[in-house]
Amino acid sequence: VLGGLFQILTVRNYDTEQDGIDYSVNVPGVESDADLAQRVNTEIQKRVDALTAKAQQDWEDYQEAFFATGGTEDEWSQREMNVDVNYEIKSQTGTTVSFVVTMTQDMFDAYNEQTYYNLDIAADKDITLADVLGEDWVNICNAAVQTYIDQDTTGLFFSADEGGFTTVDEATSFYLNEDGSVTLVFPEYTIAAGAAGIVEIPVAG
């Protein structure tokens, strides 16, 4: 329980197998009397439902193509898909919580989606980068990212001409650390080659 105001609790938790698809679902829900909690929980549930529906359709499409190209029942029985939904709390105080919901699907192509939530339940609002860093948040974040890239020695970051980093915006993902600082998050392939994975860049306040 976070400060007696709200808590993270699992609203859907199951492990099951359906027609060759293994589902492991561990979905967080925010509990409070505020409207924000209901909106966030509804959004998370919609994302989970969309992922599971996509997994089922992908599986059915793959099965149809598999048999159409000469696959046998015995060969098909060796195929599987794993769908996983989980979450990690990044930080929490008496009135705020920062967490990430991770959804993965693996079959022939790995699918990974992370959604970050930074919530001020007491104020009934999402926490923005401007809330944490002030009016100059864009320049502060851009400077942090550019410094990080300039200091990198891997050579994995894309140049601007290659579609690399240009600027943060309101859609840029981030989470709050325990000390209140910010870490920006860039999904795979957005600002660097896949070998870099998910890129996390700390920002000093």
Side-chain angles (χ1 to χ4, degrees):
V1 177
L2 309 180
L5 293 174
F6 62 99
Q7 62 181 354
I8 294 289
L9 70 161
T10 299
V11 293
R12 285 182 65 184
N13 187 327
Y14 62 85
D15 292 277
T16 186
E17 189 274 335
Q18 299 178 27
D19 190 30
I21 305 177
D22 291 320
Y23 293 96
S24 178
V25 182
N26 188 27
V27 184
V30 182
E31 185 177 81
S32 79
D33 296 328
D35 293 337
L36 176 65
Q38 181 177 355
R39 177 183 65 75
V40 169
N41 292 342
T42 299
E43 178 185 324
I44 292 173
Q45 194 62 63
K46 284 182 178 179
R47 289 180 182 273
V48 172
D49 291 343
L51 173 69
T52 54
K54 180 181 184 301
Q56 185 65 46
Q57 187 61 56
D58 286 348
W59 184 251
E60 292 173 1
D61 291 345
Y62 178 42
Q63 184 181 46
E64 181 179 351
F66 181 83
F67 288 127
T69 54
T72 67
E73 289 286 352
D74 285 342
E75 291 172 332
W76 177 252
S77 67
Q78 304 303 312
R79 304 298 196 271
E80 66 177 18
M81 176 194 291
N82 298 297
V83 176
D84 181 79
V85 180
N86 216 326
Y87 71 95
E88 177 188 359
I89 296 178
K90 293 296 189 178
S91 67
Q92 60 187 40
T93 69
T95 59
T96 67
V97 61
S98 183
F99 65 98
V100 56
V101 178
T102 301
M103 300 185 289
T104 60
Q105 167 191 316
D106 66 13
M107 189 166 60
F108 39 84
D109 289 322
Y111 168 87
N112 185 303
E113 176 183 310
Q114 292 186 307
T115 306
Y116 291 81
Y117 295 90
N118 303 284
L119 310 177
D120 186 334
I121 299 296
D124 193 26
K125 68 186 293 289
D126 293 288
I127 300 171
T128 67
L129 287 168
D131 292 331
V132 182
L133 300 173
E135 294 182 359
D136 199 33
W137 65 275
V138 172
N139 290 329
I140 292 172
C141 290
N142 285 348
V145 174
Q146 195 57 57
T147 298
Y148 187 92
I149 292 174
D150 290 344
Q151 294 176 348
D152 173 71
T153 58
T154 66
L156 294 174
F157 283 90
F158 302 136
S159 68
D161 291 340
E162 296 171 325
F165 176 76
T166 55
T167 184
V168 298
D169 57 31
E170 293 180 353
T172 300
S173 296
F174 73 96
Y175 62 85
L176 300 177
N177 299 295
E178 292 291 347
D179 62 1
S181 64
V182 166
T183 296
L184 302 175
V185 183
F186 298 91
E188 292 178 293
Y189 301 103
T190 54
I191 66 171
I198 297 170
V199 179
E200 297 191 353
I201 300 178
V203 179

